[in-house]
Amino acid sequence: MAYLLGVDTGGTYTDAVLLDEGADRVIAAAKALTTRPDLAPGVGRAIDAAIAEAGIVPADIGMVSLSTTLATNALVEGQGGRVALVFIGFEAAELGREGLSEALRGDPVIAISGGHNHGGGEFAPLDLAALEAALGGLGPEITGFAVAGRFATRNPAHEIAARDLIRQRTGRPVTCSHELSAGLNGPRRALTAVLNARLIGMIDRLIAACEAHLLSLGIEAPLMVVRGDGALVSAELARERPIETILSGPAASIAGAAWLTGETDALVSDIGGTTTDVCLLRDGRPAIDPDGARVGGFRTMVEAVAMRTSGLGGDSEVHLTEGLRAGLRLGPRRLVPVALAAQSWPGLVHDALDAWLAQDAVGELDGRFALPLWQGEPPPGLTGREAVVAERLSAGPLRVADAVRTRLELPALMRLVTQGHAMIAGVTPSDAAHVLGRLDSWDGAAARKALTLFARRRDGRGDRIAEGPEALAAAIVAQLTRQTAECLLEAAFAEDPEWQGQDVAALARHPLTRAGLARHRGVIETDLRLGVPVIGLGASARSYYGAVGEALGARMVLPEHGGVANAIGAVVGRISMSASGIVTSPGPGLFAAHLAEGPRRFNDRDQAIAALVAALEQEALADARRAGVDEPRLRRESAITEVDVEGQPMFIEARLTVTAYGRPRIATG
């Protein structure tokens, strides 16, 4: 018998599960802490533990599939490598659209002339000399390039020429916008390419870590990766297009939820260390977001499940809100829980906590630690203050107050965090769960000290915010319950046609909504509850989601193996490779099929459509076979736009998609 191995790497845990060849039952499941910066140890420990529990020979594993929330987490937290955008033929004002300038975060833009018009003809000559001169002025901190050209989906020639020059001169990864989407929105295509370029190094390291460990065990099975729409793709393609793995983990969790519970209509809520992901399951399938995946405030052009992702998880940062009576707010940044940091560096953490607790006043940076994510020399390309802070951290973790010695150095430390070079340890819901006895995975004594210290902070009236660690822990968990309920309500309002177009965030927090959930009784009586059950997934779901179900008046389903639903979903999916294109009409009686090599003109509409369909079928079939489907099946979709002119239809365009799909090949020993 061949076995199926599913692996999911999240911000906190890496999970591994083994299913039988028919994907009918879970044979073994295991968890290990995700290790950074080197992901290999965490991946290896999870896989080894699952194989040991199952008692099988590694060579009998016939397929391996990987899902991950790392790309999603990076975008939510604003992390990733520095990139340069090559902007071809666009006006400078276009940088201000679709959140593109915010996504760039000050990274360089190389704006050059070139691009094409709507029909695929050259708008202006491509200025490769200007590009070559600009490349010479970039430093080693640039890890990759994004190339976006005006109407590149009508004719990609200028993007391809720019890509070839960049690769020749720098040897660094290049992402072209036309490779990611056939859509026309240039700034959003550029945004998607920028985010893809930022993520390439991270996803490459994960795939390499998984491949290396499989090779060391003698596992020769093909490695697949879950895409954001739930389909499987080859590891090779995922390396080229890591942006397509945003919402990979959530998409896998939905497939896992349906497989584990048999529920066909439900809200699926997956709480991880960094995010909470909510999706509506209808007739056993998730909806696909027609506008593209939205993550971390950015609307991309990546096809993905219609998922609402919030920066709320078990390891979310606990903030103290200002006011006479201070409140709590969680997220969106993930911290390393103090209990977990103490497990790795007990001397540093306990000595610092004891010293802080011995003082009467609580300092602004007390209770927080800076953890470097590099080994040896500091990362290259740092600014002056970043380099100073990094030099101090090169010796190992420090109290934040020791890592930064002036107020001007604190932003430099946070830039190191944003760039993925460091993390902050501080109080999180996971620490609160340790204090309340709901979790015992790490150092509970350190968690208690950290919450004791945090509880001594004072509100605007000068009073302590909590009487002690237990009271504060209960308040943190209650806040997690409230924010999770708000996430679920937003998703429910967004999916209910009655509220289409409404501000769902405002509806979720409306006084009538709160009154309905509380079943208010007075002159007016109100009742409100969810009309579908909630499937709670994630390692900490059992700790928190019972109270969430009660708050929403919903049936809460907490399945066995719900903590590894992502890894299960990774192996029960199928490969699906799509190719899209468009036919336009540049003039009366003319029809242009926009092919990969450029536009090809016809005098007959049906001939143009047939030529494009043939090219798309060839591309989709080749991709599916390369991904491991022996006998792919085809699905064709078309949308023809015409307008009525004096009683006669006039052709505008035809958008075509061909999808080749099937189950991946399973290797046999």
Side-chain angles (χ1 to χ4, degrees):
M1 174 184 287
Y3 299 95
L4 312 180
L5 172 63
V7 180
D8 175 72
T9 298
T12 304
Y13 283 108
T14 294
D15 304 332
V17 297
L18 279 163
L19 276 66
D20 59 16
E21 186 172 349
D24 295 321
R25 63 189 180 94
V26 175
I27 297 171
K31 283 181 172 291
L33 285 169
T34 297
T35 51
R36 301 191 190 197
D38 183 4
L39 298 167
V43 170
R45 288 168 194 149
I47 292 174
D48 291 348
I51 291 174
E53 181 182 328
I56 66 169
V57 177
D60 287 341
I61 293 174
M63 188 190 84
V64 183
S65 189
L66 175 68
S67 73
T68 180
T69 59
L70 291 182
T72 306
N73 295 349
L75 297 188
V76 169
E77 298 182 87
Q79 295 184 354
R82 294 200 67 193
V83 301
L85 169 64
V86 179
F87 213 39
I88 304 172
F90 291 100
E91 299 290 335
E94 302 285 355
L95 287 169
R97 290 181 51 202
E98 303 292 345
L100 179 54
S101 59
E102 291 86 348
L104 282 164
R105 302 199 311 259
D107 284 354
V109 177
I110 302 172
I112 59 175
S113 63
H116 295 82
N117 57 35
H118 186 274
E122 188 172 78
F123 174 74
L126 177 63
D127 192 349
L128 287 177
L131 174 58
E132 187 161 16
L135 292 175
L138 298 177
E141 71 276 6
I142 300 301
T143 61
F145 291 83
V147 179
R150 187 177 190 267
F151 284 110
T153 54
R154 295 292 190 261
N155 190 335
H158 286 184
E159 284 195 358
I160 293 170
R163 177 196 66 193
D164 292 345
L165 177 62
I166 294 167
R167 284 179 174 169
Q168 179 185 349
R169 292 290 183 268
T170 70
R172 292 173 204 160
V174 185
T175 297
C176 289
S177 75
H178 77 273
E179 297 171 333
L180 301 176
S181 172
L184 278 182
N185 189 326
R188 194 186 293 181
R189 269 191 295 106
L191 164 73
T192 306
V194 165
L195 298 178
N196 189 80
R198 240 188 247 300
L199 296 171
I200 282 177
M202 177 185 301
I203 297 303
D204 181 70
R205 289 191 295 273
L206 172 61
I207 292 173
C210 194
E211 287 178 334
H213 194 72
L214 295 176
L215 187 62
S216 72
L217 295 176
I219 299 173
E220 298 180 356
L223 176 62
M224 312 303 297
V225 180
V226 181
R227 241 179 12 206
D229 61 358
L232 304 181
V233 297
S234 66
E236 177 187 359
L237 186 61
R239 274 191 162 107
E240 297 172 6
R241 304 180 187 178
I243 189 68
E244 293 188 356
T245 70
I246 62 172
L247 301 182
S248 160
S253 75
I254 295 165
W259 188 88
L260 284 167
T261 66
E263 298 281 351
T264 57
D265 298 279
L267 277 173
V268 180
S269 184
D270 186 358
I271 181 171
T274 307
T275 61
T276 291
D277 306 307
V278 183
C279 178
L280 181 66
L281 195 64
R282 279 289 190 201
D283 298 322
R285 298 178 63 84
I288 299 298
D289 192 333
D291 296 323
R294 185 180 185 91
V295 181
F298 302 117
R299 175 71 74 178
T300 70
M301 297 186 84
V302 175
E303 189 173 86
V305 294
M307 180 77 66
R308 300 185 74 85
T309 296
S310 304
L312 175 69
D315 299 344
S316 288
E317 182 175 9
V318 178
H319 299 273
L320 190 63
T321 61
E322 295 182 358
L324 288 178
R325 289 206 173 276
L328 299 175
R329 191 72 186 167
L330 308 180
R333 179 182 286 119
R334 173 184 179 264
L335 302 186
V336 175
V338 174
L340 178 55
Q343 191 162 279
S344 298
W345 303 282
L348 168 69
V349 173
H350 280 282
D351 288 349
L353 289 170
D354 290 340
W356 285 319
L357 288 169
Q359 305 296 318
D360 292 331
V362 180
E364 179 184 357
L365 302 178
D366 289 359
R368 297 167 78 84
F369 301 86
L371 314 177
L373 296 181
W374 69 85
Q375 297 170 343
E377 293 297 316
L382 302 180
T383 66
R385 289 195 177 94
E386 291 169 5
V388 170
V389 175
E391 188 62 37
R392 294 186 192 124
L393 287 172
S394 291
L398 295 171
R399 301 185 307 175
V400 168
D402 293 331
V404 297
R405 296 174 186 173
T406 70
R407 285 194 172 274
L408 293 176
E409 289 180 348
L410 185 57
L413 171 61
M414 300 318 295
R415 286 194 296 273
L416 292 177
V417 172
T418 299
Q419 294 164 18
H421 298 318
M423 291 192 71
I424 303 297
V427 171
T428 68
S430 294
D431 293 301
H434 276 83
V435 170
L436 295 176
R438 299 185 183 186
L439 193 63
D440 61 357
S441 303
W442 309 319
D443 191 330
R448 173 172 288 276
K449 291 178 183 179
L451 264 72
T452 301
L453 180 69
F454 200 105
R456 292 182 181 179
R457 295 184 180 274
R458 298 186 181 273
D459 58 21
R461 303 182 350 164
D463 297 331
R464 289 187 174 182
I465 64 166
E467 294 181 359
E470 287 82 4
L472 177 60
I476 291 172
V477 171
Q479 183 62 29
L480 180 65
T481 300
R482 279 191 291 272
Q483 289 184 226
T484 302
E486 288 171 357
C487 292
L488 287 162
L489 285 169
E490 286 184 26
F493 279 122
E495 295 293 345
D496 194 316
E498 180 69 24
W499 311 102
Q500 192 168 11
Q502 300 275 345
D503 184 344
V504 295
L507 287 171
R509 295 160 180 79
H510 195 281
L512 281 176
T513 300
R514 296 184 186 278
L517 291 172
R519 293 165 179 75
H520 171 77
R521 295 293 180 265
V523 177
I524 294 176
E525 295 185 353
T526 60
D527 288 283
L528 186 145
R529 63 183 178 84
L530 292 182
V532 294
V534 176
I535 301 174
L537 304 176
S540 59
R542 290 185 178 274
S543 296
Y544 306 123
Y545 273 22
V548 173
E550 293 175 7
L552 295 174
R555 178 167 64 91
M556 183 64 67
V557 181
L558 300 171
E560 184 184 8
H561 302 303
V564 292
N566 292 25
I568 292 171
V571 289
V572 298
R574 66 183 183 183
I575 293 171
S576 177
M577 306 300 295
S578 295
S580 299
I582 189 169
V583 174
T584 60
S585 179
L590 290 176
F591 304 90
H594 295 271
L595 307 175
E597 60 271 18
R600 181 180 166 195
R601 296 196 172 190
F602 296 84
N603 294 320
D604 181 81
R605 185 198 76 168
D606 292 342
Q607 287 182 0
I609 290 175
L612 180 60
V613 168
L616 296 178
E617 286 181 351
Q618 185 177 1
E619 180 183 346
L621 285 169
D623 286 345
R625 290 190 177 109
R626 185 162 59 102
V629 182
D630 288 327
E631 298 180 4
R633 301 173 66 183
L634 288 174
R635 182 175 64 249
R636 303 168 187 86
E637 300 170 76
S638 64
I640 298 177
T641 303
E642 296 178 329
V643 296
D644 188 80
V645 178
E646 297 181 350
Q648 296 294 322
M650 185 175 78
F651 177 85
I652 302 298
E653 66 177 26
R655 293 182 176 272
L656 308 169
T657 299
V658 175
T659 302
Y661 62 93
R663 281 288 293 166
R665 183 186 309 117
I666 297 176
T668 55

